[in-house]
Amino acid sequence: MGEGGSRAIPLWDLPTRLTHWAIAVAFGVSWYTADNHLMGAHRISGYVILGLVVFRLYWGVAGGSTARFASFVRGPGATLAYARTLPRRDSVAVAGHNPLGAWSVVAMIVLLAAQVGMGLFAVDVDGFESGPLSHWVSFETGRTIAGAHEWGFRGLLVLIGLHLAAVAYYHLYKRQNLIGAMIHGRRRLGEGAEPLKGAPLWRVALGVAIAAGLAWAIAKGLRF
């Protein structure tokens, strides 16, 4: 059916969309600042990503219906069954993340969390530029973590490349506009599709407070 649904329904809430695009921008900033040895700005972008990842984890439990992990993460059987429909141009559009996209989201969050986590403990070769938690590990351990941090970045690039290829495939072959839905939050789906059930504003405020507070505490090296 593709995008041939009969009505446009709310699909993604504003916090989910803002977090998605903010992570994309912050990752680009982290990439640029690392390549140009702007380590002060690189640390700040890392703290921003840390806060965004914490918020997304929180929102995956407390957010709107389509943002919750329980609503879209499926087991191996459902994932394989969906994978078999990929060659079909007329496969039914899914309200929210499809099973493969769901595992892509999980992988992205896990890798981002690991990447930021390694950056917190990493130490450069001279020992001058170090993560805020590097005082918890030895110099040698910090250097090993720095090497893993570089490899983690390469892994993220591969995952991002696969993500962009999938978005292009759905747009060009299946005629499903995934980018538009993540911008304006609505998507055309069949009559049986359930629209987004939003979360109250106080949950957004609580999530922002938790994410910002944790990022601030870590930036201070957990020293109060």
Side-chain angles (χ1 to χ4, degrees), residues 40-181:
H42 185 72
R43 282 194 295 272
I44 292 173
S45 67
Y47 300 145
V48 170
I49 294 175
L50 170 63
L52 291 168
V53 168
V54 170
F55 179 83
R56 186 62 185 91
L57 290 170
Y58 163 84
W59 205 239
V61 176
S65 57
T66 54
R68 298 190 179 194
F69 299 124
S71 73
F72 61 78
V73 176
R74 297 289 181 265
T79 303
L80 288 173
Y82 179 82
R84 295 189 189 99
T85 71
L86 286 179
R88 292 168 45 193
R89 177 169 283 177
D90 62 344
S91 59
V92 175
V94 177
H97 292 297
N98 64 60
L100 283 176
W103 285 109
S104 174
V105 170
V106 171
M108 188 77 71
I109 292 174
V110 169
L111 279 181
L112 280 171
Q115 184 69 356
V116 173
M118 289 186 290
L120 299 176
F121 294 91
V123 178
D124 78 339
V125 67
D126 297 317
F128 295 123
E129 296 290 349
S130 305
L133 304 185
S134 59
H135 59 278
W136 286 12
V137 300
S138 66
F139 175 81
E140 291 76 14
T141 300
R143 288 300 301 142
T144 300
I145 293 174
H149 187 65
E150 294 182 9
W151 279 103
F153 169 72
R154 296 186 179 96
L156 277 168
L157 286 183
V158 171
L159 190 58
I160 291 170
L162 291 173
H163 177 71
L164 294 176
V167 170
Y169 176 78
Y170 274 85
H171 185 76
L172 298 174
Y173 182 72
K174 287 180 171 286
R175 301 293 189 265
Q176 297 181 22
N177 185 2
L178 305 183
I179 296 177

Side-chain angles (χ1 to χ4, degrees), residues 25-37 42 45 153 157 160:
V25 172
F27 181 83
V29 171
S30 290
W31 185 354
Y32 176 83
T33 53
D35 279 354
N36 291 276
H37 307 290
H42 185 72
S45 67
F153 169 72
L157 286 183
I160 291 170

